[in-house]
Amino acid sequence: QSAKVEAYFLSHFHGDHYDGLNENFQGPGLIHCTRVTAALVKQELGVKSHLIQSYDMDDTAEVCGAKVTFLDANHCPGAAMLLFQLDSGAIHLHCGDMRYDPRMQQYPALIQARHKIDKLYLDTTYCHPKHVFPSQQDSVDQIANAVAQIVKTSFRKVFGEAPAESAAKSATPGTPATPATPA
């Protein structure tokens, strides 16, 4: 925090990015971030609302003479890449923590900036080949399957059978529907 700083940009709400930020933050520069990140900064860190300027994804704002566009970084809720168009004409893209998705190639602001970006700021924490992660879709599918299994198991413990099993029994022609009994 410095009296000389006119604006702060917070790409997302992870400790390695907001380190040192707390209820004692006084500005005078405002913190610029997405609405989700702003809500977390207020709720979890106690920063006063009047010291935060929040934006929706794809919003472009003028801050200290630069146009800044907040783009979905596909990292965590509220995480944004920041596209800066400086008054000098230079274009800088701060990726922060992002998870690439082919849909990003269709972001209008990035299409306009394509082949014009003067500086690119990357977080390369997991860029080493030793780090291999499943795709985001594979991760979502694995979590959904695990949750479905937990729900099914929990339902059996309480009601004696899973809803799909109950529906299948009652839908079988010639088989009378039987009420579920607790195990």
Side-chain angles (χ1 to χ4, degrees):
Q1 183 172 334
S2 169
K4 295 179 183 179
V5 175
E6 295 181 40
Y8 297 90
F9 294 91
L10 183 57
S11 61
H12 66 290
F13 192 77
H14 277 170
D16 58 325
H17 290 259
Y18 66 73
D19 189 38
L21 183 59
N22 58 44
E23 71 276 359
N24 297 319
F25 179 77
Q26 301 288 321
L30 298 180
I31 299 167
H32 298 266
C33 57
T34 64
R35 290 193 190 284
V36 171
T37 299
L40 290 165
V41 168
K42 289 184 254 186
Q43 176 183 311
E44 300 300 319
L45 302 178
V47 174
K48 294 171 185 64
S49 296
H50 72 277
L51 296 169
I52 303 169
Q53 179 62 55
S54 64
Y55 304 91
D56 290 324
M57 289 297 178
D58 300 318
D59 276 358
T60 299
E62 188 161 324
V63 180
C64 301
K67 289 182 181 175
V68 185
T69 304
F70 293 79
L71 303 167
D72 185 359
N74 193 35
H75 173 57
C76 66
M81 296 185 293
L82 305 171
L83 182 66
F84 294 90
Q85 297 171 307
L86 308 181
D87 56 2
S88 67
I91 299 176
H92 297 185
L93 177 60
H94 172 77
C95 293
D97 291 355
M98 54 85 75
R99 184 175 191 144
Y100 174 75
D101 185 280
R103 291 174 293 172
M104 292 174 171
Q105 293 182 33
Q106 302 309 313
Y107 288 178
L110 291 180
I111 290 171
Q112 291 176 359
R114 193 169 286 153
H115 306 294
K116 299 176 189 172
I117 296 173
D118 299 292
K119 290 191 180 181
L120 177 65
Y121 299 90
L122 294 172
D123 182 323
T124 57
T125 306
Y126 293 102
C127 198
H128 193 280
K130 73 178 184 178
H131 300 290
V132 178
F133 299 105
S135 72
Q136 188 175 35
Q137 189 59 55
D138 286 347
S139 297
V140 168
D141 291 345
Q142 287 176 17
I143 291 167
N145 289 336
V147 169
Q149 188 59 42
I150 291 167
V151 168
K152 185 176 179 180
T153 302
S154 297
F155 194 91
R156 270 196 191 122
K157 287 179 182 176
V158 175
F159 298 105
E161 59 187 47
E165 294 168 350
S166 177
K169 283 182 183 178
S170 64
T172 306
T175 305
T178 56
T181 55

